[in-house]
Amino acid sequence: TEITQATERTAVVGDAALSGFLEIPSGAQGIVVFAHGSGSSRFSKRNNAVAAFLRDARLGTFLFDLLTSDEERVDAVTREHRFNIPLLSARLQGVVDWIAHLPEGAGHRIGLFGSSTGAAAALIAAAQLPDQVAAVVSRGGRVDLAGEALERVQSPTLLVVGGADREVLRLNETALQRIQGISELAIVDRATHLFEEPGALEEVATLTRNWFVEYLRRSPSGADGQ
């Protein structure tokens, strides 16, 4: 896929400068923002693999750090920030707004891809920004940490869980019943939490691509965008 814009960008959200990689293929039909899990970053190999798959389907991607470099250093020792879901979700909401105001972001529908604790942040952001978040995908998400926001999620939501990740699967099955909008649970057979089994991550990427292609390419009225 021809890439017309692939840049390292800093999203300023409040007093936090968040580093990220923004890549928008030519003719992109939406932008997916990645919210990584606890202890991870914009360099996540799994998220970058999924992002490359999305770009091949003409979707833009933004992988960014939810924490500043100073916060990362503290969190590496204390772990005090990685489970601060209100903070992470506020950062994600700020990034969604930041992208919407970029020249290259204008007019694009935005999807959120959340992993582990990042999935909870994504679902809360979707509940808070129903007019800005067009779709959500959770990979091995701690969706239970979204709390009461689950009932307010209207964005079409796909929950992807490994079949062998039994506790997280149970949490996702419960969460699915609470989401009021369009929602599905996809189970990757025999996969564990990090989807390290042969072919597992490719299945995650395929499911993710199909979901975002379906919902980001639609116009707000529900008709296919052309």
Side-chain angles (χ1 to χ4, degrees):
T1 301
E2 178 192 355
I3 300 292
T4 54
Q5 296 147 340
T7 56
E8 188 159 1
R9 303 293 289 270
T10 300
V12 178
V13 177
D15 59 356
L18 308 174
S19 300
F21 300 120
L22 179 66
E23 298 194 41
I24 304 178
S26 57
Q29 303 196 34
I31 297 174
V32 178
V33 179
F34 283 70
H36 58 73
S38 56
S40 189
S41 72
R42 68 188 186 279
F43 297 106
S44 163
K45 289 182 179 178
R46 293 175 187 85
N47 283 354
N48 274 279
V50 173
F53 207 77
L54 296 183
R55 290 192 295 272
D56 282 343
R58 289 170 57 200
L59 292 167
T61 59
F62 185 58
L63 294 100
F64 76 103
D65 294 340
L66 284 158
L67 301 178
T68 66
S69 54
D70 286 344
E71 289 168 343
E72 289 278 10
R73 280 191 287 272
V74 171
D75 187 70
V77 178
T78 67
R79 301 192 172 202
E80 66 185 78
H81 297 307
R82 65 183 65 187
F83 288 104
N84 186 344
I85 306 300
L87 170 68
L88 302 183
S89 183
R91 295 269 173 89
L92 183 56
Q93 292 171 55
V95 165
V96 169
D97 191 61
W98 173 79
I99 285 179
H101 286 86
L102 291 176
E104 60 268 49
H108 285 296
R109 305 193 79 201
I110 293 177
L112 302 180
F113 180 92
S115 308
S116 192
T117 51
L123 287 165
I124 294 172
Q128 293 290 107
L129 304 172
D131 296 330
Q132 290 177 269
V133 176
V136 178
V137 174
S138 160
R139 170 177 68 81
R142 284 296 308 277
V143 290
D144 53 302
L145 297 177
E148 59 86 25
L150 283 170
E151 278 84 7
R152 296 187 289 110
V153 174
Q154 297 299 318
S155 309
T157 299
L158 176 65
L159 308 177
V160 184
V161 187
D165 191 9
R166 290 188 175 84
E167 178 61 17
V168 172
L169 177 56
R170 184 186 66 79
L171 294 171
N172 276 256
E173 288 172 337
T174 301
L176 185 71
Q177 305 306 314
R178 298 173 61 189
I179 297 172
Q180 303 297 307
I182 296 169
S183 57
E184 292 182 17
L185 174 65
I187 300 172
V188 178
D189 194 34
R190 293 188 291 276
T192 51
H193 187 61
L194 296 179
F195 298 92
E196 294 174 302
E197 294 71 24
L201 192 62
E202 289 81 357
E203 186 171 344
V204 171
T206 300
L207 289 163
T208 300
R209 175 198 63 196
N210 293 348
W211 194 262
F212 284 133
V213 165
E214 171 76 11
Y215 291 105
L216 294 192
R217 289 183 177 178
R218 292 183 176 186
S219 70
S221 66
D224 287 342
Q226 297 295 331

